[in-house]
Amino acid sequence: IAEHTSKLCNACKAASQKCDNPVAKRHFVQCAKDVANSTAQLVKSIKALATKLTPENRAACREAATPLLVSVEHLRDFALSPEFAPVPAKISPEGKAGQQCMIDAGNKLTGTSTKLLQFSRSLALNPNDGTNMQLLITQAKSVSNAVKDLLEQVKQNVPGQKPCDQAIEKLRSAQTEMEQAAISATAGQLKPQEATNLQGYQTQLESATMEIKELIEPLAESAKCHPEKLGHHVATL
């Protein structure tokens, strides 16, 4: 029970992060809390029943199960509302263009491999045919080149690679600016920024830090399990 409700709470957390409606976002979080609290009470009652099998403990266990069932039913009804109906996936023109080079390389590999098999069959029927032998050797090289082309296209079009490269470049630029500012501060030549006061800058820093903290876990999850989301999370970060 605890294992399944834990997965349910994680699903609520994920749904809350993906939801744009702030009211629905809070509702998913509250549903997760209700499920977690009801589970804790039920597990406590189950342990008591396992320790001492009495009619009282059995009744308490049955009563503790009711809030959990209600919480799960409420969450299910809320999640099935039209607002969260799934939207069919669509590939953007940019996505199609990014895939086309790999599709072309794959088609090239398929075509050259088919010809290689055809020449191999012809050579098997007539092993002494020097022409077929030469064609087979040439086609084998074509297959090898097609494999290299496909691997190169896959390498160049890894999901999230370009946003990651751009993010690394921005971080390096920011690091250079920080180092230059540190040198200027040490020399007493750092010009103060007067857009706001110290408290305002501290508030901005805390806000940015909290936003980054909230984005780290989805970014790590996409890097491990959902590469198709990596570019979006990196760009957001």
Side-chain angles (χ1 to χ4, degrees):
I1 292 174
E3 179 182 354
H4 288 299
T5 53
S6 176
K7 292 180 180 179
L8 196 57
C9 290
N10 290 334
C12 286
K13 183 179 179 181
S16 174
Q17 292 174 345
K18 296 177 182 178
C19 189
D20 296 328
N21 187 337
V23 176
K25 185 185 290 286
R26 289 193 296 268
H27 197 91
F28 272 120
V29 172
Q30 186 59 49
C31 285
K33 291 180 180 179
D34 293 341
V35 171
N37 293 333
S38 301
T39 301
Q41 292 299 322
L42 178 58
V43 170
K44 183 178 179 181
S45 300
I46 291 174
K47 288 182 178 179
L49 179 61
T51 304
K52 192 173 183 180
L53 293 171
T54 63
E56 293 79 10
N57 287 342
R58 188 184 298 275
C61 186
R62 184 171 58 252
E63 292 176 2
T66 302
L68 177 58
L69 293 174
V70 172
S71 299
V72 173
E73 281 292 321
H74 178 68
L75 172 59
R76 186 183 70 87
D77 293 341
F78 181 67
L80 289 176
S81 61
E83 181 181 354
F84 309 111
V87 179
K90 293 183 179 180
I91 300 178
S92 65
E94 295 81 4
K96 290 181 179 179
Q99 291 180 347
Q100 190 61 45
C101 55
M102 288 189 286
I103 293 174
D104 292 341
N107 288 335
K108 181 180 178 182
L109 176 59
T110 303
T112 53
S113 299
T114 301
K115 290 182 179 180
L116 179 65
L117 293 174
Q118 291 173 347
F119 291 142
S120 299
R121 182 179 62 182
S122 299
L123 188 61
L125 295 175
N126 189 4
N128 297 322
D129 189 341
T131 303
N132 277 336
M133 176 60 73
Q134 187 60 40
L135 290 173
L136 182 65
I137 295 174
T138 303
Q139 197 61 33
K141 292 180 179 179
S142 299
V143 171
S144 178
N145 292 332
V147 171
K148 291 179 181 178
D149 290 343
L150 179 58
L151 292 176
E152 185 63 26
Q153 291 298 334
V154 171
K155 182 180 179 181
Q156 292 179 0
N157 292 277
V158 173
Q161 178 174 333
K162 292 181 180 178
C164 285
D165 291 340
Q166 294 170 354
I168 291 172
E169 193 61 35
K170 288 183 179 180
L171 288 173
R172 286 174 177 168
S173 177
Q175 184 179 11
T176 301
E177 291 182 16
M178 292 290 291
E179 291 173 350
Q180 292 175 349
I183 294 173
S184 299
T186 303
Q189 299 176 352
L190 183 63
K191 296 181 180 180
Q193 300 289 331
E194 298 179 354
T196 184
N197 54 24
L198 177 61
Q199 183 177 359
Y201 284 123
Q202 289 176 337
T203 302
Q204 291 179 8
L205 181 61
E206 291 175 359
S207 176
T209 304
M210 289 300 296
E211 290 180 9
I212 291 174
K213 182 180 179 181
E214 292 178 358
L215 290 170
I216 289 297
E217 185 175 342
L219 175 61
E221 183 68 18
S222 63
K224 291 186 292 184
C225 306
H226 302 286
E228 73 279 1
K229 300 179 181 179
L230 182 58
H232 170 70
H233 285 142
V234 170
T236 305
L237 182 61

